[in-house]
Amino acid sequence: MDTKNPSAPPHAQSRVAANKHPIRRHSETGGLVHDHTRHTTRFTVIGNHLAQHPELSLLAIGLATHIQSLPQRAHVDIKTLAARFPEGATRIAAALRELEAHGYLRRERRRVSGGRIVTRTVSCNQPGRSGDNHIPHPKRTRPKRESEPKPLPPVPRPSYPAPALIEQATNVLATLRTHDRRLLLSERDTAHLSPGVAAWLERDVTPATVREALTTALPTEPLCRPAALLAHRLTAQLPPPPPVRPRASQPAVRHPLQNCDGCDRAFRSPAPGRCGDCRTDLIEAA
């Protein structure tokens, strides 16, 4: 009679108390109950720092959620948002200012092709972390400082830079543009090249010859630095100094004609007296 019944349960199963059932407990105490379904398409991840922001208004939080759900390059200006929502332009503008103040929006002005300036709105889903921005932020490059122009090659110098010679050389350089408009020189370049032209003129070279040497057989492509080309030609093609002319011999002095006191013949002498023959006769007689 002590055989156990194998079909009987080893002990009775206890029932959950009615007041401890999770669903019934929430239904009795009230509050929020989530009925979530996992999203697989068409969803946006919103951080609690935005959804539960302690300082943003409800309109600003909702507007930020809407903006973060939009694709890139979508229009989020006040006019577009006011046409989409019933709150009106004034309230939407105030909400946008809230989001800008807390770092969820950033406005940038960019110059595009054609010289136009456009305003771009950058939405930040985590303010302060630029790597997580929805719109990639291009790297800012520092504008390059304008460097000093490369100095021109040296040019020959005249032995005697007289003001009239330098002025003539400057006039030669000023007329080069009439032969080739690419040879329009600045005042600074002209001041650098004028001594080189003066060195040519000092060597008995005519202005026309100098002009021809500087303008003949120029390259056909655009000249990036015409003054450098002219400086090279003035140095490389500098003619030699003119040959030294022998000093002209002084002409013989021609004395006036005089009448000889002895023979009354004419002879040349600086002063009156006797001619050479009469003087010889006197020496022999003595």
Side-chain angles (χ1 to χ4, degrees):
M1 298 298 294
D2 57 351
T3 303
K4 295 182 179 181
N5 186 2
S7 62
H11 59 273
Q13 298 292 329
S14 62
R15 294 177 59 86
V16 178
N19 59 349
K20 292 184 178 181
H21 195 278
I23 298 179
R24 184 174 298 175
R25 182 173 67 251
H26 283 290
S27 63
E28 292 180 357
T29 58
L32 176 66
V33 178
H34 291 286
D35 185 7
H36 286 175
T37 301
R38 184 178 180 84
H39 293 286
T40 58
T41 58
R42 296 179 57 81
F43 64 92
T44 302
V45 178
I46 302 295
N48 285 339
H49 56 83
L50 171 60
Q52 301 177 13
H53 200 286
E55 298 179 8
L56 288 175
S57 65
L58 183 60
L59 177 59
I61 294 174
L63 191 57
T65 303
H66 171 72
I67 291 175
Q68 291 188 19
S69 69
L70 295 175
Q72 294 197 38
R73 308 304 176 190
H75 294 286
V76 290
D77 55 283
I78 298 176
K79 183 178 180 180
T80 302
L81 295 173
R84 170 66 176 78
F85 298 105
E87 279 73 14
T90 302
R91 295 184 61 191
I92 289 176
L96 291 176
R97 288 194 295 268
E98 288 185 61
L99 296 177
E100 287 189 63
H102 288 84
Y104 288 97
L105 287 183
R106 185 173 68 248
R107 299 184 186 274
E108 298 177 348
R109 296 173 66 87
R110 298 288 179 181
R111 185 179 296 276
V112 297
S113 59
R116 295 186 305 108
I117 297 179
V118 298
T119 300
R120 185 174 65 177
T121 302
V122 181
S123 173
C124 307
N125 66 345
Q126 293 191 46
R129 299 185 182 182
S130 59
D132 297 332
N133 289 346
H134 282 267
I135 300 178
H137 183 62
K139 295 182 179 180
R140 295 182 179 179
T141 57
R142 294 183 178 179
K144 295 182 179 180
R145 296 182 179 178
E146 294 184 359
S147 57
E148 290 293 330
K150 187 177 180 180
L152 294 174
V155 295
R157 299 283 173 176
S159 301
Y160 303 99
L165 184 64
I166 298 298
E167 182 180 0
Q168 187 180 13
T170 302
N171 294 336
V172 172
L173 292 171
T175 58
L176 295 181
R177 59 185 175 183
T178 61
H179 297 266
D180 193 318
R181 62 181 181 180
R182 295 176 298 173
L183 299 181
L184 176 61
L185 302 174
S186 66
E187 185 176 0
R188 179 178 181 179
D189 293 341
T190 303
H192 178 82
L193 297 174
S194 56
V197 177
W200 282 54
L201 299 176
E202 191 181 46
R203 300 186 178 206
D204 290 345
V205 180
T206 63
T209 304
V210 178
R211 192 178 300 109
E212 182 180 1
L214 296 179
T215 58
T216 303
L218 291 175
T220 56
E221 61 270 11
L223 300 180
C224 298
R225 302 183 67 202
L229 173 63
L230 297 179
H232 172 73
R233 289 194 172 190
L234 288 173
T235 303
Q237 302 179 19
L238 179 66
V244 179
R245 298 185 180 90
R247 182 176 298 179
S249 59
Q250 295 182 355
V253 179
R254 294 177 63 85
H255 297 297
L257 290 173
Q258 307 288 345
N259 288 331
C260 179
D261 294 340
C263 63
D264 200 27
R265 288 185 300 179
F267 73 99
R268 292 186 179 277
S269 175
R274 293 178 179 272
C275 64
D277 294 339
C278 292
R279 287 195 298 269
T280 302
D281 293 343
L282 290 175
I283 294 174
E284 292 177 352

